[in-house]
Amino acid sequence: MASVDLGKVISQAVDDYKADFVVHLVATLLVAVIGGATFGLLSGPLIVGYMRLLDKKRRGEKIEIADIFKGFDSFLPGLLVYILGGLAVGIGFMLCFVPGLLLAPGWMAAFCLVARGESDAIAALKRGWSSSKPSLLMAAVTMLVISILMSIGAIACYVGIFLTLPFGFIAQYHL
């Protein structure tokens, strides 16, 4: 994670979202519903699949809803990144919020690393967290802005979350 440009992250996320609105909307709904129905057990591999979908988009390839299921090729690393990273971020948020905010960008980077072939969850988390260090403050601010934008959707009678959650995933990828 080199230097972080909040405006660039937001504009790239908006552009990607607009270009394939339905794919992102349905894929995110599947991640949320399947992840929720399995008490989070399948969330990690599905997020890895979503990161692979976004990698395909970045390479100029056609993306499909089914791409999110390709994260199951990395089931164990995706699951472990989800559980261990989520635990670290959750504990960080309990410790006066700021530590969790500082750990969150690295956690998202770890999902991208697993999506790109890292098979060791601990190594992905370490690399994800170390990659966010050079721009830690700006990465944390960007994560906070993304989270606020996603929360606005939840505040809008929970229906808006279906519009802001895909944006949040895409923005976190670009971060």
Side-chain angles (χ1 to χ4, degrees):
M1 213 178 280
S3 119
V4 176
D5 180 344
L6 174 61
K8 187 174 180 181
V9 168
I10 300 292
S11 67
Q12 286 176 323
V14 168
D15 291 346
D16 283 357
Y17 193 20
K18 286 190 315 188
D20 293 292
F21 177 78
V22 173
V23 172
H24 288 295
L25 182 64
V26 174
T28 304
L29 283 173
L30 286 171
V31 170
V33 170
I34 295 170
T38 60
F39 303 101
L41 190 62
L42 300 181
S43 294
L46 289 168
I47 294 169
V48 168
Y50 200 93
M51 295 302 125
R52 286 186 177 155
L53 175 146
L54 292 167
D55 272 346
K56 276 181 71 175
K57 173 74 177 164
R58 184 178 50 83
R59 291 189 306 267
E61 299 173 27
K62 181 173 172 34
I63 60 172
E64 301 171 347
I65 295 163
D67 289 334
I68 65 165
F69 298 109
K70 293 181 180 165
F72 287 105
D73 295 346
S74 302
F75 182 83
L76 190 56
L79 175 65
L80 290 175
V81 164
Y82 182 77
I83 292 171
L84 299 174
L87 199 65
V89 171
I91 290 169
F93 277 120
M94 287 189 282
L95 298 172
C96 298
F97 187 77
V98 174
L101 190 60
L102 295 174
L103 289 172
W107 184 34
M108 288 298 111
F111 283 113
C112 288
L113 291 167
V114 171
R116 293 176 184 155
E118 177 62 66
S119 60
D120 181 342
I122 302 297
L125 287 165
K126 286 179 181 177
R127 281 182 54 209
W129 284 320
S130 68
S131 74
S132 66
K133 283 181 185 176
S135 298
L136 189 58
L137 183 59
M138 197 58 203
V141 168
T142 302
M143 281 297 291
L144 182 61
V145 170
I146 292 167
S147 298
I148 290 169
L149 292 172
M150 290 170 59
S151 297
I152 290 170
I155 292 169
C157 300
Y158 289 101
V159 177
I161 194 72
F162 298 117
L163 298 174
T164 58
L165 189 60
F167 165 80
F169 274 142
I170 300 166
Q172 289 170 0
Y173 170 83
H174 284 293
L175 174 62

